[in-house]
Amino acid sequence: MDIKTEIQRLKKEKNAVILAHYYQPMEIQELADIVGDSLELARKSKNTDAGILVFCGVNFMGESAALLCPDKRVLLPAPEAGCYMADTITPEDVRRLKTANPDSTVVCYINSTAAVKAECDVCCTSSNALKVAKSVDTDSIIFVPDKNLGAYVASMVPEKKFIFHEGGCCKIHDKLSAESVLKEKALHPNADILVHPECNGKVCALADFLGSTAQIITYCENSDKNEFIICTELGVTERMRALMPDKRFYIPDTKQLYCDMMKKISVEMLYNCLKNETGEVVIEEGLREAALKPIERMLGI
Ligand code: 13P
Ligand code: SF4
């Protein structure tokens, strides 16, 4: 049996679609019907008419799809794949920040659990964080959990006061050093530096372009340049090498930019999940209603 052909057959038989984030291994991206950044995946999960969504990503992404699609079953090939950033904050942390700053709007990065989202007013992703922050009608914003994305947004929206959660970040992006980026730039002086806003402030300051995974891909597709230094997880670079074979993509620190959580899913795991319908995301109805509100408010902006 050819496992990839079998996956295609099962998809048809079960009216299922496979969604994958850009950080997934290339062989998973190649099997997916929909590949995207976290905003695109949330939007597109809502718009498909499949009965089963097999979600290849970390578990907050599957949870977001399940919140948006109560009429569909969302299956995770690796339900144990969490997100280091989402694990940096609890619902109690958000409640504490709200008590200390009662007149603030709570903006919550989508890289968070449903229980944390349920405490927040509006979600954002790295593609729309600025737009969301500007849309808020209070003078003060509690921005959780990512202090790096939050600092970038705060620098672009100086008219508002921002409150952050201590220690909230992605340990993969946050630890990429400015020195390693500069070293790569010295080797490739004509390359543009493209940075995901989860990187620390020193790396963000070096960026020719700062954006989400999808925005980084689009930038490279539309650019007249041929060389790029990519400061985000390796999956994005792999995808661009496949999409744009004539352009050159450099990685400043291959070891640091590897998200082991995003790389847990193998083709066998995807096949078993689809065949046996395992790893279903189940969210209790009260929690679903509360956690859905900030996502829907974001999608309406
Ligand atoms: P995007 O919103 O750019 O897809 O990023 C998600 C993520 O997990 C970044 O580390
Ligand atoms: Fe989470 Fe960081 Fe992995 Fe993105 S790269 S999924 S933020 S741990």
Side-chain angles (χ1 to χ4, degrees), residues 21 23 37-38 60-61 109 111 125-126 173 196 198 212-213:
H21 189 268
Y23 292 168
D37 70 357
S38 47
F60 80 80
M61 295 179 173
Y109 190 30
N111 293 40
T125 75
S126 49
H173 286 83
H196 194 285
E198 287 178 15
S212 76
T213 52

Side-chain angles (χ1 to χ4, degrees), residues 271-289:
Y271 166 71
N272 286 328
C273 171
L274 182 57
K275 179 169 170 254
N276 303 319
E277 300 182 18
T278 52
E280 182 164 1
V281 182
V282 181
I283 301 172
E284 177 266 313
E285 192 46 34
L287 175 60
R288 196 186 81 81
E289 272 175 32

Side-chain angles (χ1 to χ4, degrees), residues 21 23 57-61 82-87 109 111 146 169-174 196 198 232-233 257-262:
H21 189 268
Y23 292 168
V58 289
N59 52 29
F60 80 80
M61 295 179 173
C83 164
Y84 297 117
M85 159 105 66
D87 292 344
Y109 190 30
N111 293 40
D146 189 10
C169 68
C170 160
K171 69 174 189 180
I172 290 146
H173 286 83
D174 186 56
H196 194 285
E198 287 178 15
T232 191
E233 211 277 340
L257 290 173
Y258 175 84
C259 175
D260 57 327
M261 291 295 174
M262 275 286 184

Side-chain angles (χ1 to χ4, degrees), residues 42-287:
R43 282 221 175 98
K44 289 180 181 167
S45 62
K46 205 173 170 216
N47 294 338
T48 157
D49 53 13
I52 294 179
L53 308 180
V54 183
F55 209 106
C56 301
V58 289
N59 52 29
F60 80 80
M61 295 179 173
E63 254 187 10
S64 301
L67 291 170
L68 283 161
C69 313
D71 52 329
K72 301 177 176 64
R73 297 179 63 209
V74 178
L75 308 180
L76 298 172
E80 72 283 11
C83 164
Y84 297 117
M85 159 105 66
D87 292 344
T88 56
I89 191 161
T90 64
E92 293 71 40
D93 292 326
V94 183
R95 284 198 286 272
R96 224 175 293 126
L97 286 166
K98 287 201 288 191
T99 307
N101 305 279
D103 297 323
S104 306
T105 301
V106 189
V107 177
C108 171
Y109 190 30
I110 199 153
N111 293 40
S112 51
T113 61
V116 163
K117 288 187 179 81
E119 296 293 334
C120 300
D121 298 306
V122 59
C123 273
C124 73
T125 75
S126 49
S127 13
N128 63 14
L130 274 181
K131 213 171 168 185
V132 169
K134 285 181 181 163
S135 78
V136 160
D137 57 8
T138 55
D139 293 333
S140 148
I141 291 178
I142 300 171
F143 192 100
V144 292
D146 189 10
K147 63 180 169 74
N148 290 336
L149 175 64
Y152 163 66
V153 175
S155 73
M156 302 299 280
V157 190
E159 65 276 19
K160 292 197 191 286
K161 178 185 167 206
F162 282 76
I163 297 124
F164 301 117
H165 169 60
E166 196 54 43
C169 68
C170 160
K171 69 174 189 180
I172 290 146
H173 286 83
D174 186 56
K175 290 206 170 66
L176 178 68
S177 71
E179 288 71 32
S180 59
V181 180
L182 287 171
K183 222 156 123 190
E184 207 57 39
K185 179 75 176 173
L187 293 172
H188 311 287
N190 292 325
D192 273 358
I193 300 174
L194 309 190
V195 177
H196 194 285
E198 287 178 15
C199 291
N200 66 61
K202 287 184 182 160
V203 171
C204 289
L206 298 173
D208 293 297
F209 178 76
L210 202 68
S212 76
T213 52
Q215 290 166 340
I216 287 175
I217 296 171
T218 306
Y219 179 97
C220 294
E221 283 174 331
N222 295 337
S223 171
D224 295 335
K225 290 240 180 154
N226 282 318
E227 294 184 283
F228 307 92
I229 296 167
I230 307 300
C231 304
T232 191
E233 211 277 340
L234 303 179
V236 173
T237 309
E238 266 189 81
R239 183 169 184 85
M240 292 199 290
R241 283 181 177 151
L243 286 175
M244 295 167 251
D246 297 336
K247 298 195 174 188
R248 293 282 158 268
F249 300 95
Y250 307 112
I251 302 165
D253 186 339
T254 309
K255 228 167 145 195
Q256 187 53 45
L257 290 173
Y258 175 84
C259 175
D260 57 327
M261 291 295 174
M262 275 286 184
K263 301 292 198 253
K264 280 193 187 295
I265 299 173
S266 65
V267 175
E268 284 74 19
M269 285 163 83
L270 172 54
Y271 166 71
N272 286 328
C273 171
L274 182 57
K275 179 169 170 254
N276 303 319
E277 300 182 18
T278 52
E280 182 164 1
V281 182
V282 181
I283 301 172
E284 177 266 313
E285 192 46 34
L287 175 60

